């Protein structure tokens, strides 16, 4: 069963526009949730994570995400896109009592001048 | 600086040859992981290790082998039994096994090794 679904393998926005990357998870127990960013031929860098506490999580580079249990979602947003945000973004979860990350298939963000 | 080092960054091998990818971390992390990345498929777990001298198969372990003789090292061998070895391989580590949970739960990734088999 798919644990993480990222809607849209490619998203294109104009510089200065809102960035919204969608992530939904399937889990009967609220998991730990993560967003990672990957630049070409590079490893993954953690943008932000939700483990416990406040459901609105702020990360690096102006990104934030909100954990919505009722919608089983953890969408990533940024108010104003910058050219340097062009990269591939991965949503991931750790399910309770499982010793691994479940990664989504990734969303490539293109930022147009 | 502390981090995870994968080497080499690019690796070319002939079909039928075994090849070993290096992963070293100086973060004093207990757990280490190997992932394979293919376009459009996200990351898939090959093997993981929670402590020295112990490792477990992930979702796609066939054709791969690992060892964990030292805390800081977790090399991956891609054997000739792996049918489609050409891929981008990522090594990661976490402070403790992910099942232990807690606010510090996260994984740190190396820069990857791109393996091409010709």
């Amino acid at each position: 069963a798919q644990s993480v679904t990222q809607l849209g393998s490619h998203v294109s926005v104009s510089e200065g526009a809102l960035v919204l990357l969608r992530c939904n998870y399937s889990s009967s127990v609220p998991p730990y949730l993560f967003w990672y960013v990957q630049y070409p031929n590079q490893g993954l860098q953690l943008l932000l994570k939700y483990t416990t506490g406040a459901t609105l999580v702020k990360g690096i580079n102006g990104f934030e995400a909100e954990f919505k249990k009722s919608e089983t979602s953890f969408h990533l947003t940024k108010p104003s896109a910058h050219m340097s945000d062009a990269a591939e973004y991965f949503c991931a979860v750790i399910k309770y009592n499982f010793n691994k990350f479940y990664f989504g298939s990734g969303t490539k963000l293109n930022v147009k001048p | 600086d502390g981090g995870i080092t994968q080497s080499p960054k690019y690796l070319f091998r002939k079909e039928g040859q075994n090849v070993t990818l290096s992963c070293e971390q100086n973060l004093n992390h207990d757990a280490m992981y190997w992932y394979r990345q293919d376009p459009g498929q996200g990351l898939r777990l090959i093997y993981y290790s929670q402590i020295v001298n112990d490792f477990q198969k992930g979702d796609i372990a066939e054709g791969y082998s690992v060892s964990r003789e030292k805390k800081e090292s977790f090399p991956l061998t891609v054997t000739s039994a792996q049918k489609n070895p050409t891929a981008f391989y990522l090594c990661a580590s976490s402070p403790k096994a992910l099942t232990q949970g807690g606010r510090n739960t996260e994984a740190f990734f190396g820069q990857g090794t791109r393996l091409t088999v010709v």
Side-chain angles (χ1 to χ4, degrees):
Chain A
Q2 179 64 266
S3 293
V4 184
T5 303
Q6 290 185 239
L7 287 176
S9 59
H10 291 80
V11 170
S12 187
V13 301
S14 297
E15 191 173 18
L18 171 71
V19 176
L20 171 60
L21 304 182
R22 299 178 186 274
C23 174
N24 288 88
Y25 65 91
S26 56
S27 175
S28 58
V29 177
Y32 289 176
L33 297 154
F34 304 79
W35 275 100
Y36 282 88
V37 61
Q38 185 181 35
Y39 297 98
N41 291 312
Q42 299 289 320
L44 274 67
Q45 179 183 9
L46 181 68
L47 276 177
L48 49 80
K49 66 180 180 181
Y50 169 78
T51 53
T52 59
T55 56
L56 180 61
V57 181
K58 295 187 183 299
I60 62 172
N61 301 337
F63 285 94
E64 63 181 37
E66 186 171 11
F67 167 54
K68 292 187 176 180
K69 182 179 177 181
S70 61
E71 299 177 6
T72 61
S73 69
F74 191 57
H75 302 330
L76 182 70
T77 61
K78 181 174 180 177
S80 177
H82 191 273
M83 296 297 291
S84 61
D85 295 326
E88 189 161 19
Y89 293 79
F90 291 93
C91 180
V93 304
I94 301 173
K95 296 168 70 173
Y96 178 72
N97 212 30
F98 282 78
N99 194 27
K100 69 175 188 178
F101 283 84
Y102 291 82
F103 282 91
S105 55
T107 297
K108 286 187 177 178
L109 176 66
N110 177 46
V111 181
K112 300 175 289 185
Chain B
D1 284 354
I4 302 175
T5 301
Q6 290 187 244
S7 61
K9 189 169 178 64
Y10 299 95
L11 189 54
F12 295 87
R13 278 295 182 270
K14 291 184 178 180
E15 193 171 343
Q17 289 183 334
N18 292 356
V19 61
T20 297
L21 282 58
S22 171
C23 178
E24 304 276 332
Q25 54 99 359
N26 60 3
L27 300 167
N28 198 33
H29 285 176
D30 287 338
M32 297 185 74
Y33 311 82
W34 274 106
Y35 285 89
R36 170 180 171 141
Q37 185 177 21
D38 297 282
Q41 295 195 48
L43 280 73
R44 293 180 290 169
L45 182 65
I46 305 173
Y47 268 97
Y48 65 95
S49 168
Q50 298 185 65
I51 57 172
V52 175
N53 293 321
D54 179 71
F55 49 83
Q56 305 295 328
K57 292 182 179 180
D59 300 317
I60 56 165
E62 185 175 352
Y64 299 97
S65 65
V66 294
S67 63
R68 186 87 187 276
E69 297 177 359
K70 298 185 295 183
K71 187 176 187 178
E72 59 269 24
S73 179
F74 192 42
L76 173 74
T77 297
V78 184
T79 75
S80 57
Q82 169 49 233
K83 295 179 181 179
N84 297 297
T86 294
F88 191 51
Y89 291 87
L90 286 161
C91 179
S93 70
S94 59
K96 297 198 178 296
L98 298 178
T99 48
Q100 295 191 28
R103 288 180 177 274
N104 293 326
T105 301
E106 68 180 84
F108 297 79
F109 285 81
Q111 293 301 294
T113 293
R114 185 165 298 280
L115 173 64
T116 303
V117 175
V118 296

